[in-house]
Amino acid sequence: MPVLPANEAERLHALRDLAVLDTPSDMQFDALCRTACALFHVPMATVTLVDADRQWFKAKCGFDAAETPRMGSFCTYAILTDDVLVVEDARLDPRFATSPIVTGEPYIRFYAGAPIVLAPGIRIGTVCVQGTEPRGFSALERAQLADLATLVAAQLTLRRTEARLRDSEAHYRLLADNTSDMIVRSGLDTRRQYVSPASRTLLGYDPEELVGSLPMDHIHPDDRDSFARVLADLGEGRMAQAVTRQRYRRKDGSWVWVEVTFNLTRDPVDGRPTGYVAAVRDVSEREEAVRRVSHMARHDALTDLANRTLFHERLTQRLAAARRGGEGFSVLCLDLDRFKAVNDGLGHQAGDALLCRVAKRLKALVGDADTVARVGGDEFIIIHAIDRTEAGESLARRLIGAIREPIDLDGEPVVIGVSIGIARAPHDAADADSLCRYADLALHQAKGAGRNTFRFYEPGMSFGRAVRSRVAL
């Protein structure tokens, strides 16, 4: 049986904090399950949350049960690692061969589950797919399933943040009858006629300092055009209500994200527009939460390097620029030498610490125009903004030298190495798949040459039998 995660109490606390257990079916997550079934050609998919003694299905496709016991479940094993758990034939796996859902309905033979990582080391469940026939699961499919799990984690985090904001806003409305918002009364010329005392907290101004001023005087330059259009529509009576989001300049010169709700006011006798009332609310936390969610979806949770998704976006952008006549670039595929020995000998925690140290060294050696990504356990890839052979060779030598420097892991000096494969665009290839495959081919040659070295891609290079590319997009 699998052991409990070392941080089980922290994991369960995070799961409870989401407040999603035993909640109604969710259309977005149900759609994600249907997408997973179609993408991987399987009959069943679930978004599973692993509770203390059960696994509960937040969403599902092709699966009838609402929950099953946690003991001996596939997902219990899947949350013990950041990697995708793949069971190609459950009847041949002693962990699951006697499971009721393997020997009986729904007769699961194949399983793949990617953990939902809420925060580094906090895995609350899985996005998993199941089938009734044994099958393999490629590296690309593993990456795609992991991407779906990342999206679920990001959505859950965003919902929790929005729920907290809603609760907070409702609390203050009850206590102070909206006095936490800055209330503004303006004429059709948008000049402020009244400003509530909340201006001191929001913008650092006393209300009297803002009376007679124009909102455009405090708008961030990047937000001016869209905000001016809304004010014009209100002033000319083309719009009765509007909600905008932009940055206001505070008295100290800093910027704050605000949401402004406008309501047009009319003369009670003839109904003509006379101005508007606006409620201005600080939404900095919400904007920061959206930024963090976006960051999580495109960065590796352990090292904070770019993940496979962001790497692919940057690579696609670089190739498009090169096709338009821009400068070429290089892709360097890196694989750490002797990392497994450290990970197995000193434990996964030491292995994670080692990967973080390596990530810092890699970032320190590249330029601002370069991208460093982690695309696997101990596999990294770099987009280098220069495609000249001598530049790639110089960077590769510096990378090898930096990685070879001893790394102190709680008093234990560790020495590892790195093998590097290099492909150049558009010299070697002008499409993403070929370029990555060629860089991986060159890496394979470097490891075969004794490791801790580098090789450029050359036509005619090939993998050995049964070896496949590890950086397929």
Side-chain angles (χ1 to χ4, degrees):
M1 297 300 296
V3 298
L4 291 176
N7 60 347
E8 178 70 355
E10 187 180 3
R11 190 189 71 79
L12 290 175
H13 175 76
L15 180 60
R16 295 287 187 276
D17 190 46
L18 288 173
V20 292
L21 288 170
D22 300 308
T23 54
S25 178
D26 187 295
M27 294 178 58
Q28 289 182 327
F29 290 151
D30 283 339
L32 183 142
C33 289
R34 292 193 297 272
T35 299
C37 286
L39 178 63
F40 302 112
H41 307 291
V42 293
M44 292 171 282
T46 62
V47 174
T48 306
L49 302 177
V50 180
D51 203 356
D53 57 359
R54 60 171 178 157
Q55 54 177 16
W56 180 76
F57 306 117
K58 175 60 180 171
K60 57 194 174 182
C61 178
F63 201 83
D64 292 332
E67 62 180 67
T68 61
R70 170 178 172 173
M71 184 176 297
S73 68
F74 292 90
C75 296
T76 300
Y77 283 88
I79 65 168
L80 294 176
T81 175
D82 284 324
D83 296 327
V84 176
L85 173 66
V86 176
V87 180
E88 295 187 351
D89 191 343
R91 291 187 184 176
L92 301 181
D93 192 316
R95 297 174 296 178
F96 311 111
T98 60
S99 171
I101 59 175
V102 174
T103 60
E105 292 286 348
Y107 298 103
I108 292 175
R109 293 288 297 277
F110 163 77
Y111 171 91
I116 300 170
V117 183
L118 202 64
I122 305 298
R123 299 176 285 272
I124 60 168
T126 62
V127 174
C128 50
V129 292
Q130 305 96 2
T132 57
E133 298 292 337
R135 58 163 287 183
F137 208 59
S138 70
L140 175 59
E141 289 173 317
R142 290 170 187 249
Q144 291 170 332
L145 187 61
D147 286 344
L148 293 179
T150 297
L151 292 175
V152 170
Q155 185 65 22
L156 289 173
T157 301
L158 180 59
R159 290 183 184 185
R160 177 179 60 181
T161 301
E162 290 180 338
R164 287 175 174 174
L165 287 171
R166 286 194 298 271
D167 290 343
S168 176
E169 291 166 359
H171 175 70
Y172 283 106
R173 282 196 297 271
L174 287 172
L175 292 178
D177 192 24
N178 281 325
T179 55
S180 61
D181 293 350
M182 184 178 79
I183 308 301
V184 177
R185 174 74 171 93
S186 295
L188 289 177
D189 61 356
T190 76
R191 196 170 298 279
R192 291 162 173 150
Q193 300 169 351
Y194 166 81
V195 178
S196 72
S199 62
R200 298 187 182 98
T201 302
L202 181 63
L203 300 179
Y205 289 97
D206 286 330
E208 296 77 15
E209 295 180 272
L210 294 177
V211 171
S213 66
L214 299 172
M216 289 298 295
D217 295 338
H218 301 90
I219 296 297
H220 192 283
D222 292 344
D223 305 328
R224 289 180 62 86
D225 289 345
S226 59
F227 191 73
R229 285 195 294 271
V230 173
L231 291 181
D233 288 340
L234 284 166
E236 296 176 20
R238 292 191 297 269
M239 181 184 294
Q241 294 178 321
V243 178
T244 65
R245 188 174 296 158
Q246 59 278 318
R247 287 156 288 187
Y248 271 14
R249 186 179 65 249
R250 294 172 52 86
K251 190 173 183 178
D252 63 9
S254 62
W255 297 97
V256 58
W257 276 99
V258 298
E259 182 179 85
V260 184
T261 302
F262 294 95
N263 281 281
L264 191 68
T265 58
R266 296 181 180 276
D267 186 280
V269 177
D270 58 19
R272 62 181 177 81
T274 58
Y276 62 80
V277 172
V280 186
R281 176 174 301 170
D282 184 343
V283 292
S284 299
E285 288 188 11
R286 186 186 306 172
E287 290 296 321
E288 176 61 17
V290 172
R291 187 200 66 78
R292 287 198 301 268
V293 168
S294 177
H295 184 86
M296 286 173 57
R298 287 172 169 76
H299 289 79
D300 176 54
L302 176 65
T303 64
D304 203 41
L305 294 177
N307 63 10
R308 192 182 297 268
T309 299
L310 182 54
F311 164 74
H312 187 227
E313 290 177 0
R314 297 271 177 84
L315 181 59
T316 301
Q317 291 167 3
R318 286 278 187 184
L319 287 168
R323 284 193 289 269
R324 292 194 298 268
E327 301 209 357
F329 61 95
S330 300
V331 170
L332 290 79
C333 188
L334 290 72
D335 188 87
L336 300 183
D337 299 328
R338 297 185 296 278
F339 171 77
K340 188 176 186 301
V342 176
N343 204 45
D344 293 345
L346 299 180
H348 294 298
Q349 187 172 358
D352 287 350
L354 178 61
L355 290 171
C356 290
R357 301 282 186 84
V358 167
K360 288 182 180 179
R361 292 186 179 184
L362 295 179
K363 290 179 69 174
L365 290 173
V366 301
D368 294 338
D370 298 339
T371 296
V372 183
R374 181 183 176 217
V375 295
D378 62 342
E379 298 165 13
F380 300 85
I381 196 161
I382 297 174
I383 301 175
H384 185 40
I386 304 174
D387 71 335
R388 295 192 305 274
T389 301
E390 60 271 20
E393 180 176 340
S394 173
L395 177 59
R397 292 189 186 280
R398 286 185 282 123
L399 292 169
I400 291 171
I403 300 303
R404 290 178 66 178
E405 290 293 321
I407 297 174
D408 184 275
L409 297 178
D410 291 332
E412 182 76 24
V414 172
V415 177
I416 61 171
V418 64
S419 299
I420 304 174
I422 308 171
R424 296 180 296 148
H427 179 273
D428 296 324
D431 66 278
D433 288 335
S434 298
L435 192 62
C436 290
R437 187 169 67 254
Y438 292 165
D440 203 22
L441 279 168
L443 170 62
H444 182 61
Q445 296 293 321
K447 296 183 78 70
R451 307 192 177 196
N452 217 32
T453 187
F454 66 92
R455 290 289 184 271
F456 282 89
Y457 169 74
E458 296 178 2
M461 281 184 174
S462 64
F463 291 113
R465 181 173 297 178
V467 177
R468 65 178 60 180
S469 173
R470 290 158 294 186
V471 293
L473 298 176

